[in-house]
């Protein structure tokens, strides 16, 4: 359930970033005119905008229904992919020399994605210890206090 909630937060942050993007000066007028940031609006661009919301929501659903170790692997792959995409997007926007307001929510989504990836590594380690085959070496660390 933790992963599902984090994926929903990432999806909502990306949707918020898209909404804030369209409220920036002259962006909506350009989009209605068939152009965004100097590029013609294409079906691929529309699918990319829809995918920014659909992908985190799909991972949220997968986090509910994919069991155990496969769930941790799915979340790790999705978290790293969304985190790298977020860092690339932020870097390319900041590389232009202009700070846009929607970058704050995009950075939030990227941070949530990296949190998901980190929690997935922890879950993978936990599942590998729990599902060790019989007779295999399993290391357990315990701490004891001596008075």
């Amino acid at each position: 359930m933790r992963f599902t909630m984090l994926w929903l937060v990432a999806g909502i942050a990306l949707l918020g970033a898209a909404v804030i993007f369209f409220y920036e000066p002259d962006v909506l007028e350009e989009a209605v005119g068939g152009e965004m940031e100097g590029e013609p609006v294409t079906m691929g661009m529309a699918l990319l905008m829809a995918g920014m919301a659909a992908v985190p929501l799909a991972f949220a659903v997968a986090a509910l229904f994919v069991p155990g170790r496969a769930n941790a692997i799915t979340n790790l792959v999705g978290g790293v992919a969304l985190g790298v995409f977020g860092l690339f997007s932020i870097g390319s926007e900041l590389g232009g020399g202009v700070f846009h307001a929607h970058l704050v929510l995009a950075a939030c989504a990227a941070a949530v994605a990296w949190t998901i990836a980190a929690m997935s590594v922890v879950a993978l380690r936990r599942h590998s210890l729990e599902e060790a085959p019989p007779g295999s070496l399993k290391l357990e660390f315990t701490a004891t206090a001596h008075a």
Side-chain angles (χ1 to χ4, degrees), residues 3-136:
F3 288 116
T4 300
M5 295 310 293
L6 286 171
W7 280 116
L8 290 175
V9 168
I12 290 168
L14 287 174
L15 283 173
V19 168
I20 290 173
F21 174 74
F22 282 110
Y23 275 105
E24 291 178 0
D26 299 328
V27 172
L28 192 57
E29 290 83 15
E30 285 182 9
V32 170
E35 191 173 283
M36 285 180 66
E37 296 184 342
E39 299 287 327
V41 176
T42 62
M43 183 57 74
M45 187 181 291
L47 289 174
L48 178 67
M49 294 293 283
M52 282 178 30
V55 168
L57 296 178
F59 276 109
V61 170
L64 283 175
F65 296 110
V66 177
R69 186 173 171 84
N71 187 353
I73 292 170
T74 303
N75 287 317
L76 178 63
V77 169
V80 168
L82 185 62
V84 167
F85 175 72
L87 291 178
F88 171 75
S89 298
I90 292 166
S92 66
E93 287 284 329
L94 291 177
V98 180
F99 180 80
H100 296 284
H102 68 276
L103 288 180
V104 174
L105 286 173
C108 177
V112 169
W114 286 112
T115 302
I116 290 169
M119 288 176 61
S120 299
V121 169
V122 172
L124 274 173
R125 292 185 67 155
R126 186 184 69 235
H127 287 297
S128 65
L129 287 176
E130 290 173 356
E131 298 172 5
S136 66

